[in-house]
Amino acid sequence: MKDSPTSPKSKAYPSWGLRQLHDHLQYMVDLEFWTIPYYLTAMYSIKDRTDPAFTLIQSVVNEEMFHVQLASNIANAFGLTPTFKAPVYRGNDIPHIDFSLDTPNPTAIYSPYSAELGPLDQTRINTMCLIEYPEWDTGQGSTLHADVTTYGSIGALYESMRYAASLFQDQIVGGVNQVNMFANYFNQFEHQTVTLNGREGLKQIYGIMSAIVEQGEGKTEGAATIPPEFQNTAASTDAELDHFTKFELIRKASSFPAVYRGVRKPDAGSAGARAQAELIKGFDQLCATMEKLFSGQNPPRFGRQMSAVGAFMSNCWQNGAEPRIS
Protein backbone atom coordinates (compact mmCIF):
# COMPACT_ATOMS: atom_id res chain seq x y z
CA MET A 1 0.00 0.00 0.00
CA LYS A 2 1.17 3.52 -0.72
CA ASP A 3 2.40 5.98 1.88
CA SER A 4 0.11 8.82 0.83
CA PRO A 5 -3.60 9.06 0.01
CA THR A 6 -4.53 7.58 -3.33
CA SER A 7 -6.26 9.91 -5.75
CA PRO A 8 -9.89 8.89 -6.28
CA LYS A 9 -10.85 7.33 -9.61
CA SER A 10 -14.24 9.04 -9.61
CA LYS A 11 -15.33 12.58 -8.81
CA ALA A 12 -18.60 11.48 -7.22
CA TYR A 13 -18.38 10.62 -3.51
CA PRO A 14 -20.91 10.54 -0.74
CA SER A 15 -20.15 13.14 1.91
CA TRP A 16 -18.81 11.82 5.21
CA GLY A 17 -18.84 13.51 8.57
CA LEU A 18 -17.05 12.45 11.73
CA ARG A 19 -19.93 10.11 12.58
CA GLN A 20 -19.47 8.15 9.36
CA LEU A 21 -15.74 7.95 10.03
CA HIS A 22 -16.39 6.62 13.55
CA ASP A 23 -18.90 4.09 12.18
CA HIS A 24 -16.32 2.78 9.74
CA LEU A 25 -13.61 2.63 12.40
CA GLN A 26 -15.91 0.39 14.45
CA TYR A 27 -16.58 -1.71 11.34
CA MET A 28 -12.83 -2.25 10.94
CA VAL A 29 -12.62 -3.51 14.52
CA ASP A 30 -15.73 -5.66 14.05
CA LEU A 31 -14.37 -7.32 10.91
CA GLU A 32 -11.00 -8.14 12.46
CA PHE A 33 -12.69 -9.44 15.62
CA TRP A 34 -15.15 -11.54 13.58
CA THR A 35 -12.34 -13.62 12.11
CA ILE A 36 -11.01 -14.82 15.46
CA PRO A 37 -13.83 -17.14 16.64
CA TYR A 38 -14.32 -18.33 13.06
CA TYR A 39 -10.68 -19.36 12.69
CA LEU A 40 -10.42 -20.69 16.25
CA THR A 41 -13.48 -22.91 15.83
CA ALA A 42 -11.98 -24.55 12.75
CA MET A 43 -8.57 -24.82 14.39
CA TYR A 44 -9.80 -26.54 17.57
CA SER A 45 -11.77 -29.05 15.53
CA ILE A 46 -8.44 -30.56 14.42
CA LYS A 47 -7.67 -33.65 16.49
CA ASP A 48 -3.90 -33.63 16.05
CA ARG A 49 -2.47 -30.34 17.29
CA THR A 50 0.87 -31.08 15.69
CA ASP A 51 -0.77 -31.08 12.26
CA PRO A 52 0.57 -28.28 10.00
CA ALA A 53 -2.98 -26.99 9.46
CA PHE A 54 -3.36 -26.39 13.20
CA THR A 55 -0.12 -24.46 13.49
CA LEU A 56 -0.82 -22.42 10.34
CA ILE A 57 -4.25 -21.36 11.56
CA GLN A 58 -2.89 -20.66 15.04
CA SER A 59 -0.29 -18.28 13.60
CA VAL A 60 -3.04 -16.45 11.72
CA VAL A 61 -5.24 -16.17 14.83
CA ASN A 62 -2.35 -14.62 16.74
CA GLU A 63 -1.94 -11.99 14.05
CA GLU A 64 -5.69 -11.35 13.93
CA MET A 65 -5.54 -10.50 17.62
CA PHE A 66 -2.74 -8.12 16.68
CA HIS A 67 -4.99 -6.63 13.99
CA VAL A 68 -7.75 -6.04 16.53
CA GLN A 69 -5.25 -4.13 18.64
CA LEU A 70 -4.03 -2.10 15.65
CA ALA A 71 -7.54 -1.26 14.44
CA SER A 72 -8.54 -0.27 17.98
CA ASN A 73 -5.50 1.98 18.29
CA ILE A 74 -6.53 3.77 15.09
CA ALA A 75 -10.09 4.16 16.37
CA ASN A 76 -8.93 5.66 19.66
CA ALA A 77 -6.65 8.09 17.81
CA PHE A 78 -9.77 9.45 16.08
CA GLY A 79 -11.72 9.73 19.34
CA LEU A 80 -13.71 6.49 19.09
CA THR A 81 -13.49 3.96 21.90
CA PRO A 82 -14.28 0.62 20.19
CA THR A 83 -16.91 -1.73 21.54
CA PHE A 84 -16.89 -5.52 21.50
CA LYS A 85 -19.77 -7.96 21.38
CA ALA A 86 -20.18 -11.53 20.19
CA PRO A 87 -20.10 -11.57 16.36
CA VAL A 88 -22.93 -13.13 14.36
CA TYR A 89 -22.19 -16.15 12.14
CA ARG A 90 -25.05 -16.68 9.75
CA GLY A 91 -25.47 -17.81 6.15
CA ASN A 92 -22.80 -16.36 3.86
CA ASP A 93 -22.63 -12.98 5.59
CA ILE A 94 -19.10 -11.70 6.21
CA PRO A 95 -19.34 -8.29 7.93
CA HIS A 96 -19.07 -5.36 5.50
CA ILE A 97 -17.63 -7.45 2.63
CA ASP A 98 -19.36 -8.33 -0.65
CA PHE A 99 -17.05 -10.66 -2.57
CA SER A 100 -19.04 -10.27 -5.79
CA LEU A 101 -17.64 -6.75 -6.20
CA ASP A 102 -14.10 -8.06 -6.62
CA THR A 103 -12.74 -8.75 -10.10
CA PRO A 104 -12.50 -11.62 -10.75
CA ASN A 105 -15.22 -12.73 -8.36
CA PRO A 106 -13.33 -15.06 -6.00
CA THR A 107 -16.46 -17.03 -5.08
CA ALA A 108 -16.20 -18.65 -8.53
CA ILE A 109 -13.07 -20.37 -7.19
CA TYR A 110 -13.74 -20.62 -3.45
CA SER A 111 -17.10 -22.35 -3.28
CA PRO A 112 -18.93 -23.63 -1.36
CA TYR A 113 -18.40 -21.18 1.47
CA SER A 114 -20.29 -20.34 4.64
CA ALA A 115 -20.09 -17.87 7.50
CA GLU A 116 -21.45 -20.50 9.90
CA LEU A 117 -19.06 -21.74 12.56
CA GLY A 118 -17.94 -25.30 11.95
CA PRO A 119 -15.06 -27.77 11.65
CA LEU A 120 -12.16 -27.39 9.27
CA ASP A 121 -13.46 -28.65 5.93
CA GLN A 122 -13.68 -27.52 2.32
CA THR A 123 -16.42 -25.02 3.08
CA ARG A 124 -14.59 -23.41 5.99
CA ILE A 125 -11.19 -23.20 4.29
CA ASN A 126 -12.83 -21.68 1.19
CA THR A 127 -14.36 -19.00 3.41
CA MET A 128 -11.04 -18.34 5.12
CA CYS A 129 -9.38 -17.85 1.73
CA LEU A 130 -12.17 -15.49 0.66
CA ILE A 131 -11.80 -13.36 3.77
CA GLU A 132 -8.07 -12.95 3.15
CA TYR A 133 -8.34 -12.83 -0.65
CA PRO A 134 -5.96 -10.29 -2.25
CA GLU A 135 -7.46 -7.15 -3.71
CA TRP A 136 -6.75 -7.92 -7.35
CA ASP A 137 -8.90 -5.20 -8.87
CA THR A 138 -12.08 -4.07 -7.19
CA GLY A 139 -12.39 -1.14 -9.59
CA GLN A 140 -13.37 1.07 -6.66
CA GLY A 141 -10.27 3.11 -5.99
CA SER A 142 -10.01 5.14 -2.80
CA THR A 143 -13.66 5.93 -2.29
CA LEU A 144 -15.78 6.81 0.70
CA HIS A 145 -18.68 4.40 0.68
CA ALA A 146 -21.78 5.39 2.58
CA ASP A 147 -22.97 1.76 2.36
CA VAL A 148 -20.35 -0.33 4.14
CA THR A 149 -21.53 -3.58 2.55
CA THR A 150 -20.04 -2.52 -0.78
CA TYR A 151 -16.37 -3.38 -0.33
CA GLY A 152 -15.04 -6.19 -2.46
CA SER A 153 -12.26 -7.16 -0.06
CA ILE A 154 -10.58 -6.23 3.20
CA GLY A 155 -7.96 -4.44 1.11
CA ALA A 156 -10.62 -2.28 -0.55
CA LEU A 157 -12.06 -1.35 2.85
CA TYR A 158 -8.67 -0.30 4.18
CA GLU A 159 -7.83 1.63 1.02
CA SER A 160 -10.99 3.68 1.49
CA MET A 161 -10.22 4.14 5.16
CA ARG A 162 -6.76 5.47 4.27
CA TYR A 163 -8.42 8.12 2.14
CA ALA A 164 -10.92 8.95 4.91
CA ALA A 165 -8.11 9.19 7.44
CA SER A 166 -6.39 11.80 5.28
CA LEU A 167 -9.56 13.92 5.19
CA PHE A 168 -9.89 13.86 8.98
CA GLN A 169 -6.21 14.03 9.89
CA ASP A 170 -6.78 17.15 11.97
CA GLN A 171 -8.84 14.96 14.34
CA ILE A 172 -5.92 12.61 15.09
CA VAL A 173 -4.69 12.78 18.70
CA GLY A 174 -1.80 10.53 19.63
CA GLY A 175 -1.44 8.64 22.88
CA VAL A 176 -5.15 8.07 23.56
CA ASN A 177 -5.84 4.58 24.99
CA GLN A 178 -3.09 3.01 22.90
CA VAL A 179 -2.33 -0.68 23.55
CA ASN A 180 1.00 -2.29 22.74
CA MET A 181 0.79 -5.95 23.78
CA PHE A 182 2.67 -7.38 20.79
CA ALA A 183 5.88 -5.36 20.79
CA ASN A 184 8.01 -8.44 21.53
CA TYR A 185 6.45 -10.34 18.63
CA PHE A 186 6.97 -7.67 15.97
CA ASN A 187 10.09 -5.89 17.15
CA GLN A 188 10.94 -4.56 13.67
CA PHE A 189 7.57 -2.78 13.48
CA GLU A 190 8.31 0.51 15.22
CA HIS A 191 4.97 2.32 15.31
CA GLN A 192 2.32 -0.13 16.52
CA THR A 193 0.57 2.70 18.34
CA VAL A 194 -0.45 6.21 17.34
CA THR A 195 1.66 8.59 19.41
CA LEU A 196 1.60 11.76 17.31
CA ASN A 197 -1.07 14.27 16.28
CA GLY A 198 -2.33 15.39 12.89
CA ARG A 199 -0.25 14.73 9.79
CA GLU A 200 2.53 12.95 11.70
CA GLY A 201 -0.04 10.70 13.37
CA LEU A 202 -1.54 10.01 9.94
CA LYS A 203 1.80 8.58 8.81
CA GLN A 204 1.72 6.19 11.76
CA ILE A 205 -1.85 5.21 10.90
CA TYR A 206 -0.84 4.48 7.31
CA GLY A 207 1.86 2.14 8.61
CA ILE A 208 -0.60 0.37 10.90
CA MET A 209 -3.10 -0.15 8.08
CA SER A 210 -0.34 -1.44 5.83
CA ALA A 211 0.66 -4.00 8.46
CA ILE A 212 -2.90 -5.34 8.66
CA VAL A 213 -3.28 -5.72 4.91
CA GLU A 214 0.23 -7.04 4.25
CA GLN A 215 -0.08 -9.70 6.94
CA GLY A 216 -3.55 -10.70 5.78
CA GLU A 217 -3.95 -10.47 2.05
CA GLY A 218 -0.38 -9.83 1.00
CA LYS A 219 0.47 -7.41 -1.77
CA THR A 220 -2.37 -5.81 -3.68
CA GLU A 221 -2.92 -7.71 -6.94
CA GLY A 222 -1.35 -10.89 -5.68
CA ALA A 223 0.07 -12.54 -2.60
CA ALA A 224 3.74 -12.00 -1.79
CA THR A 225 6.01 -12.28 1.21
CA ILE A 226 5.27 -10.00 4.15
CA PRO A 227 7.73 -7.10 4.33
CA PRO A 228 10.33 -7.71 7.06
CA GLU A 229 9.08 -4.89 9.27
CA PHE A 230 5.67 -6.58 9.56
CA GLN A 231 6.89 -10.14 10.13
CA ASN A 232 6.44 -11.93 13.43
CA THR A 233 9.99 -11.97 14.81
CA ALA A 234 9.00 -14.53 17.46
CA ALA A 235 7.80 -17.08 14.90
CA SER A 236 10.09 -20.03 14.20
CA THR A 237 8.73 -20.74 10.70
CA ASP A 238 6.56 -19.21 7.97
CA ALA A 239 6.84 -15.65 9.33
CA GLU A 240 7.07 -14.33 5.77
CA LEU A 241 3.77 -15.91 4.64
CA ASP A 242 0.59 -13.84 4.59
CA HIS A 243 -2.73 -15.24 5.78
CA PHE A 244 -4.07 -15.91 2.31
CA THR A 245 -0.99 -17.96 1.41
CA LYS A 246 -1.21 -19.97 4.64
CA PHE A 247 -4.84 -20.82 4.04
CA GLU A 248 -4.10 -21.74 0.43
CA LEU A 249 -1.50 -24.22 1.69
CA ILE A 250 -4.19 -25.92 3.76
CA ARG A 251 -6.71 -25.83 0.92
CA LYS A 252 -4.29 -27.36 -1.58
CA ALA A 253 -2.99 -30.09 0.72
CA SER A 254 -3.62 -33.65 -0.40
CA SER A 255 -6.10 -34.15 2.46
CA PHE A 256 -7.60 -32.37 5.44
CA PRO A 257 -6.64 -33.44 8.95
CA ALA A 258 -9.01 -35.57 11.01
CA VAL A 259 -11.49 -33.36 12.86
CA TYR A 260 -14.10 -33.53 15.57
CA ARG A 261 -17.72 -33.01 14.58
CA GLY A 262 -20.68 -32.00 16.65
CA VAL A 263 -24.30 -30.98 16.69
CA ARG A 264 -25.44 -27.37 16.78
CA LYS A 265 -28.04 -27.92 19.51
CA PRO A 266 -27.02 -30.71 21.90
CA ASP A 267 -29.58 -32.15 24.28
CA ALA A 268 -30.35 -29.99 27.29
CA GLY A 269 -28.27 -31.00 30.28
CA SER A 270 -25.76 -32.93 28.16
CA ALA A 271 -22.00 -32.45 28.39
CA GLY A 272 -22.11 -30.72 25.01
CA ALA A 273 -24.77 -28.26 26.17
CA ARG A 274 -22.78 -27.47 29.31
CA ALA A 275 -19.65 -26.94 27.21
CA GLN A 276 -21.50 -24.51 24.95
CA ALA A 277 -22.82 -22.58 27.96
CA GLU A 278 -19.28 -22.28 29.36
CA LEU A 279 -18.02 -20.97 26.02
CA ILE A 280 -20.79 -18.39 25.71
CA LYS A 281 -20.14 -17.13 29.24
CA GLY A 282 -16.38 -17.09 28.70
CA PHE A 283 -16.69 -15.17 25.43
CA ASP A 284 -18.96 -12.56 27.01
CA GLN A 285 -16.35 -12.07 29.72
CA LEU A 286 -13.63 -11.70 27.08
CA CYS A 287 -15.64 -9.02 25.25
CA ALA A 288 -16.13 -7.07 28.48
CA THR A 289 -12.41 -7.28 29.25
CA MET A 290 -11.48 -6.10 25.75
CA GLU A 291 -13.73 -3.07 26.10
CA LYS A 292 -11.88 -2.20 29.30
CA LEU A 293 -8.50 -2.80 27.67
CA PHE A 294 -9.16 -0.41 24.78
CA SER A 295 -10.81 2.24 26.94
CA GLY A 296 -7.62 2.92 28.85
CA GLN A 297 -8.07 0.48 31.71
CA ASN A 298 -5.69 -2.33 32.60
CA PRO A 299 -7.78 -5.48 33.08
CA PRO A 300 -5.71 -8.27 34.64
CA ARG A 301 -7.35 -11.32 33.08
CA PHE A 302 -7.19 -10.74 29.32
CA GLY A 303 -4.57 -13.40 28.57
CA ARG A 304 -6.24 -16.02 30.76
CA GLN A 305 -9.66 -15.31 29.30
CA MET A 306 -8.37 -15.60 25.73
CA SER A 307 -6.79 -18.96 26.55
CA ALA A 308 -9.98 -20.07 28.30
CA VAL A 309 -12.06 -19.38 25.17
CA GLY A 310 -9.83 -21.78 23.23
CA ALA A 311 -10.16 -24.42 25.94
CA PHE A 312 -13.95 -24.02 25.97
CA MET A 313 -14.07 -24.44 22.18
CA SER A 314 -11.97 -27.57 22.36
CA ASN A 315 -14.25 -28.89 25.12
CA CYS A 316 -17.29 -28.33 22.92
CA TRP A 317 -15.84 -30.38 20.08
CA GLN A 318 -14.71 -33.18 22.38
CA ASN A 319 -18.21 -33.40 23.83
CA GLY A 320 -19.95 -33.61 20.46
CA ALA A 321 -21.16 -30.01 20.23
CA GLU A 322 -20.32 -27.30 17.73
CA PRO A 323 -18.84 -24.26 19.49
CA ARG A 324 -21.22 -21.32 19.93
CA ILE A 325 -20.33 -17.90 21.28
CA SER A 326 -23.86 -16.53 21.58
Side-chain angles (χ1 to χ4, degrees):
M1 299 179 73
K2 300 174 183 177
D3 292 329
S4 59
T6 305
S7 298
K9 294 182 179 180
S10 169
K11 295 181 180 179
Y13 296 100
S15 176
W16 275 22
L18 192 59
R19 178 176 178 178
Q20 284 77 21
L21 176 69
H22 282 181
D23 285 346
H24 276 62
L25 291 166
Q26 181 65 54
Y27 300 148
M28 283 169 45
V29 174
D30 290 344
L31 179 55
E32 300 298 342
F33 192 46
W34 187 96
T35 66
I36 294 171
Y38 192 89
Y39 296 169
L40 279 176
T41 299
M43 184 185 84
Y44 279 111
S45 74
I46 300 171
K47 293 183 176 180
D48 180 5
R49 296 192 179 185
T50 66
D51 190 280
F54 188 97
T55 56
L56 284 169
I57 297 173
Q58 186 176 50
S59 69
V60 171
V61 169
N62 291 339
E63 290 184 351
E64 291 297 350
M65 280 302 306
F66 184 43
H67 294 181
V68 170
Q69 173 189 286
L70 295 177
S72 296
N73 284 344
I74 295 172
N76 273 313
F78 278 108
L80 174 75
T81 301
T83 58
F84 294 87
K85 60 183 179 180
V88 175
Y89 299 91
R90 181 175 53 232
N92 291 337
D93 298 333
I94 313 296
H96 320 305
I97 301 295
D98 180 357
F99 301 120
S100 67
L101 294 176
D102 219 345
T103 304
N105 183 346
T107 61
I109 302 170
Y110 299 98
S111 289
Y113 70 97
S114 171
E116 305 279 352
L117 296 178
L120 180 66
D121 56 15
Q122 189 69 57
T123 297
R124 245 56 62 173
I125 197 61
N126 280 340
T127 309
M128 292 154 78
C129 287
L130 283 170
I131 292 167
E132 308 290 353
Y133 189 73
E135 183 197 357
W136 293 86
D137 180 14
T138 61
Q140 300 177 82
S142 297
T143 64
L144 299 183
H145 289 256
D147 179 356
V148 298
T149 66
T150 56
Y151 295 98
S153 68
I154 293 177
L157 169 61
Y158 275 94
E159 191 66 21
S160 290
M161 288 305 300
R162 286 168 61 85
Y163 179 65
S166 72
L167 298 182
F168 291 92
Q169 62 184 279
D170 60 332
Q171 300 288 329
I172 298 170
V173 178
V176 178
N177 298 339
Q178 299 294 292
V179 176
N180 193 14
M181 298 178 63
F182 292 87
N184 293 334
Y185 295 89
F186 301 93
N187 57 30
Q188 296 186 65
F189 182 15
E190 183 178 0
H191 297 296
Q192 301 177 26
T193 59
V194 183
T195 60
L196 303 173
N197 301 342
R199 180 66 182 179
E200 295 305 308
L202 180 65
K203 293 177 182 178
Q204 294 177 325
I205 287 172
Y206 283 164
I208 289 172
M209 289 185 179
S210 292
I212 294 172
V213 175
E214 296 287 4
Q215 287 179 355
E217 302 176 312
K219 294 286 186 181
T220 301
E221 298 190 3
T225 58
I226 299 173
E229 63 267 33
F230 301 141
Q231 291 183 18
N232 185 344
T233 49
S236 57
T237 60
D238 301 325
E240 76 283 0
L241 300 181
D242 60 64
H243 298 180
F244 176 73
T245 300
K246 289 178 178 180
F247 290 156
E248 273 281 79
L249 288 173
I250 298 172
R251 181 175 177 269
K252 292 181 176 179
S254 57
S255 61
F256 289 114
V259 297
Y260 296 104
R261 297 190 181 275
V263 296
R264 186 163 298 180
K265 294 183 178 180
D267 294 337
S270 66
R274 291 194 297 272
Q276 283 185 340
E278 284 183 326
L279 173 57
I280 292 169
K281 180 180 178 181
F283 198 84
D284 283 344
Q285 292 173 341
L286 176 65
C287 289
T289 298
M290 291 183 71
E291 290 203 353
K292 293 178 181 178
L293 178 67
F294 293 108
S295 65
Q297 301 180 52
N298 187 28
R301 296 181 297 277
F302 171 73
R304 292 199 299 272
Q305 288 176 341
M306 189 68 208
S307 297
V309 164
F312 293 147
M313 285 185 171
S314 181
N315 194 37
C316 284
W317 283 124
Q318 293 179 31
N319 284 285
E322 290 185 357
R324 291 178 55 190
I325 61 171
S326 63

